Structures are given as C-alpha cells and as structure tokens.
Amino acid sequence: MQLSPIEVRETITKEEFKREFLKPQKPVVIKRFIEDWPAFEKWDLDYMATVAGEKEVPLYDDRPVDYKDGFNEPHAKMKMSEYIDLLKREPTKFRIFLWNILKEVPELQKDFSYPDFGIKLMKGLPMLFFGGEDSYTFMHYDIDLANIFHFHFHGKKQVILFDQEQNDYLYKIPHSLITREDINFADPDYEKWPALKQAKGYIADLEHGNVLYMPEGYWHYMRYITPGFSMSLRAIARNPKNLGKALYNIFVMRHFDNMMRRMKGQAWIDGKNEKAVVNTHRKLGIS
C-alpha cells in the first residue's frame, strides 16, 4: 500500500476547512478544535463507566461474517461498567459499534456541541465507538457514504483511509461495504493480496481530542493502539453520485444481501469472498 500521512492542523476556521478539505474531499486531522467542550476534560473510560455503567451494550469482534448474522448484529452483550473493566484489565477484541448516545445516555449531549464546519450535521446520530488494545475494524465504508467527523477520546488509535477510486485494489466483497476480512491492513501479505501494492491511501494516529474528517464514502480501517473510544458526527453526502449509491445501499443492496444469505446460507458468503479475489485480479490482469 502507498500510504501518505493525513494532513494535520493545530486548528482551522470554517472557511479554511470548506476551501481546503470539504470542497476537494480531502481528509484532515485537527488537533485542537474541541478544547472548549466539557467532553475534552471529562470524557475518559472512568467517566463513561460512571454515567453509563448499568447500560447493556452490544459488542462486536473480528470473527468473519457468518450467513446467520443479521445486518450489524452484535456478537455479545455486556454492561458498560463490565466492558470498561475488561478494556482496562487486558487486551480484548470486543468493540462497541454505532452506539447512539442520545438514545442511551441523553445527559452526554450536554458535554459537546455541534461544530460549524460549513456543512449541516445530522443531530440525531451522534455515535460512540469503543475498542480494546489492538482491536480493529474491518476495512469498510459507511452505508450512507456520509461526510464523517470522528472525535477521538482516551488513548491512541490508528486509522487508514482510501477513497472510492481505490476500489479496484482493495478486494471489495460484492454486495457489501467491506473488503476481504482476512486481510491484515496493519501488515498486509502482498504475496497473497498483490493488488494492495497499488492502493493509494492515507494514514494517521489519533489521540485524545483530535478530530478526523473523513470525506464521503471513504474506506476506513481503525486499530486501537490502546483502549479508547471515539464519537462520530455525520453529514449527508452532497455529491449526487454518492447520494445515489447511499440510497441504493440502504434500500436495495442490504436487503438483497440478507435475502441471499437466507436462501443460500454460507455458500453465499463464501462465494462473495471468492469473487472479491477473482474480480480484483481480473480487472488488474493478475493471474
């Protein structure tokens, strides 16, 4: 993979962000943007255990997709206080994914505000993501191809990004939002996955208080170097092509995929994995 560092800014104005990153759809890490939020001082694992400790949370790990799994169906559940104890005690693959804080812990919304980046944010969808040391997400892009503002808290997390122009090199699974799950994007095996050598992307480490902007439809792989958590705010895709893809994903693709899982079972999943390799290598003339 050909990875360039994501540009880092100490802070940024709305006009600078719109001109230099939103309009050209370029990622950026902003280091000092939320220091006036109460969350900047308050939000760590201990605070989350205090305010949400009794909440039962959905947990996900890095097991391969199984045909019996529903869309975003969790692999386990645990009280938040128990989960945070686990994060602090030992490495774990369990992550929390897409946890809506407005619904689950409304008082947390007092700790942050919706920043003015020159694009309208969806205020009903602030989502939290937690992970243990060395846990990671599969390389994927979001179903709605949204503009994403990712605010990181507690510890350090590595992120690798690719835009949609890199699809031919990433071993994308058909009728899906992910790449082959057996690719280790932290240390890829280029003999097994030769197309990845041509993929051009971005890389950065996020620390407490950093804001990552991910443009519309960007593929992202995130690995927790230490236990920690992040919050994402999102804005609807503005590019008509991306908005059309989002509508297709939401109203057609995911329902078709679920139907085929019910009809064909694991053979559907296995067939898609095989096609990801065949399609990628055929496009690039790799035998």
Side-chain angles (χ1 to χ4, degrees):
M1 300 184 296
Q2 304 170 45
L3 301 179
S4 302
I6 297 174
E7 186 170 344
V8 177
R9 294 288 184 90
E10 283 292 317
T11 187
I12 198 168
T13 66
K14 177 175 72 173
E15 290 72 24
E16 288 171 337
F17 174 76
K18 289 173 64 178
R19 180 178 65 251
E20 299 177 37
F21 301 101
L22 179 63
K23 186 176 180 180
Q25 289 288 278
K26 179 183 175 183
V28 64
V29 172
I30 310 168
K31 296 180 71 173
R32 302 181 59 195
F33 194 82
I34 63 169
E35 291 180 358
D36 60 336
W37 286 8
F40 181 76
E41 296 290 343
K42 295 164 63 176
W43 282 20
D44 58 20
L45 291 176
D46 291 334
Y47 181 70
M48 289 296 166
T50 299
V51 298
E54 294 304 306
K55 293 288 183 179
E56 187 175 68
V57 293
L59 302 175
Y60 303 81
D61 57 26
D62 58 358
R63 72 188 69 179
V65 170
D66 187 275
Y67 78 95
K68 297 185 292 294
D69 294 338
F71 189 80
N72 284 344
E73 183 177 336
H75 300 135
K77 293 183 179 180
M78 189 181 293
K79 282 188 175 181
M80 176 65 91
S81 59
E82 296 171 350
Y83 174 62
I84 288 177
D85 285 343
L86 176 62
L87 292 184
K88 293 165 65 177
R89 185 174 65 246
E90 61 191 47
T92 176
K93 296 298 185 183
F94 279 132
R95 296 175 292 105
I96 296 177
F97 175 69
L98 289 175
W99 198 61
N100 190 323
I101 62 175
L102 290 184
K103 176 182 176 183
E104 300 293 343
V105 191
E107 65 255 43
L108 286 176
Q109 66 184 303
K110 300 175 184 176
D111 293 340
F112 68 92
S113 57
Y114 292 87
D116 183 3
F117 285 108
I119 185 171
K120 187 176 181 180
L121 298 172
M122 292 185 276
K123 295 187 176 181
L125 293 173
M127 297 292 184
L128 285 182
F129 304 79
F130 289 71
E133 179 183 341
D134 212 32
S135 64
Y136 61 89
T137 64
F138 296 122
M139 183 65 75
H140 69 286
Y141 65 94
D142 287 12
I143 193 169
D144 58 356
L145 285 83
N147 293 275
I148 301 171
F149 299 88
H150 197 68
F151 304 80
H152 187 63
F153 299 93
H154 198 111
K156 183 181 287 188
K157 179 162 67 173
Q158 183 183 74
V159 58
I160 297 174
L161 304 180
F162 295 101
D163 62 33
Q164 288 283 313
E165 298 300 316
Q166 306 305 306
N167 285 11
D168 286 351
Y169 313 120
L170 297 179
Y171 297 91
K172 181 183 184 300
I173 303 293
H175 311 293
S176 180
L177 309 171
I178 63 174
T179 66
R180 285 277 306 221
E181 296 159 303
D182 46 351
I183 297 174
N184 178 4
F185 278 90
D187 185 21
D189 181 347
Y190 291 121
E191 290 191 8
K192 188 173 183 181
W193 315 111
L196 290 179
K197 290 187 288 187
Q198 301 183 53
K200 297 179 181 179
Y202 300 91
I203 188 168
D205 287 345
L206 304 180
E207 298 183 340
H208 181 87
N210 290 175
V211 184
L212 168 68
Y213 168 60
M214 291 186 286
E216 297 177 14
Y218 262 52
W219 292 90
H220 44 285
Y221 163 92
M222 296 190 176
R223 180 173 65 88
Y224 290 84
I225 299 171
T226 69
F229 64 98
S230 306
M231 179 179 73
S232 281
L233 302 178
R234 59 206 306 113
I236 293 173
R238 305 199 301 178
N239 182 309
K241 181 179 179 181
N242 290 337
L243 188 57
K245 286 182 180 179
L247 294 173
Y248 171 79
N249 290 341
I250 294 168
F251 294 109
V252 179
M253 184 271 291
R254 68 172 174 175
H255 297 293
F256 173 74
D257 187 58
N258 283 334
M259 178 186 71
M260 295 303 292
R261 290 189 196 198
R262 291 192 296 268
M263 291 175 58
K264 294 192 173 183
Q266 192 60 36
W268 172 247
I269 302 295
D270 294 342
K272 291 200 302 175
N273 281 324
E274 185 175 333
K275 283 184 179 179
V277 178
V278 171
N279 293 346
T280 298
H281 288 178
R282 183 173 60 231
K283 287 179 182 178
L284 300 178
I286 298 172
S287 57

